[in-house]
């Protein structure tokens, strides 16, 4: 057993790659159901901040804005000031990056396994 096997998969603090930090922000943002629903609303079409708040009548404006900040930090939502309004748009690139890194690899492995089973 190598030293790295004995130590486990835990990286020392501060050694994470920049992509890992960005992915952590995306996973944190997606971990909350309200934020996922906000992304669903923005997937339909861009919205103003006020319009997005209107989609969540059970939440006060401050709470919606706090969730929105988490989504913007993760670069899942882009806000653009137009006059007195802020227009919000879904930014799908971080989700695609997660898909390519994690889901795509597992899907390829599963397809390969199924192919091996059908041949064997």
């Amino acid at each position: 057993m190598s030293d790295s096997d004995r130590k486990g998969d835990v990286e020392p603090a501060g050694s994470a790659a920049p992509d890992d930090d960005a992915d952590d922000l995306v996973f944190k943002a997606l971990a909350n159901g309200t934020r996922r629903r906000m992304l669903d609303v923005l997937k339909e079409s861009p919205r103003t901040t006020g319009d997005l708040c209107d989609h969540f009548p059970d939440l006060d404006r401050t709470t919606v804005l706090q969730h929105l900040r988490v989504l913007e930090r993760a670069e899942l939502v882009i806000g653009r000031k137009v006059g007195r309004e802020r227009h919000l748009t879904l930014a799908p690139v971080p989700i695609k990056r997660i898909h390519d890194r994690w889901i795509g690899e597992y899907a390829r492995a599963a397809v390969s396994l199924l192919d091996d089973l059908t041949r064997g």
Side-chain angles (χ1 to χ4, degrees):
M1 181 181 278
S2 72
D3 285 342
S4 63
D5 290 336
R6 279 196 275 304
K7 291 179 184 173
D9 294 332
V10 178
E11 294 183 21
S15 69
D19 281 349
D20 288 341
D21 292 341
D23 289 350
D24 288 347
L25 291 173
V26 173
F27 280 117
K28 176 185 176 189
L30 295 175
N32 180 278
T34 298
R35 291 192 286 266
R36 290 192 305 271
R37 287 193 307 277
M38 291 172 77
L39 292 174
D40 288 339
V41 169
L42 293 173
K43 182 174 63 171
E44 295 170 8
S45 68
R47 312 278 181 178
T48 64
T49 305
D51 191 28
L52 186 64
C53 290
D54 291 344
H55 274 80
F56 297 90
D58 53 322
L59 300 176
D60 61 58
R61 184 177 177 84
T62 303
T63 302
V64 172
L65 295 177
Q66 287 173 344
H67 283 297
L68 186 55
R69 272 195 292 279
V70 173
L71 293 170
E72 287 178 316
R73 236 179 277 127
E75 299 179 352
L76 290 165
V77 172
I78 298 169
R80 180 176 48 89
K81 194 98 160 124
V82 177
R84 294 179 52 176
E85 296 179 328
R86 249 176 107 233
H87 291 244
L88 307 169
T89 307
L90 177 67
V93 172
I95 294 173
K96 179 166 181 355
R97 189 179 64 236
I98 295 290
H99 175 273
D100 291 349
R101 180 175 176 187
W102 296 95
I103 299 165
E105 286 297 317
Y106 289 110
R108 280 188 285 283
V111 167
S112 177
L113 179 61
L114 288 173
D115 187 45
D116 291 347
L117 288 172
T118 59
R119 292 177 189 218

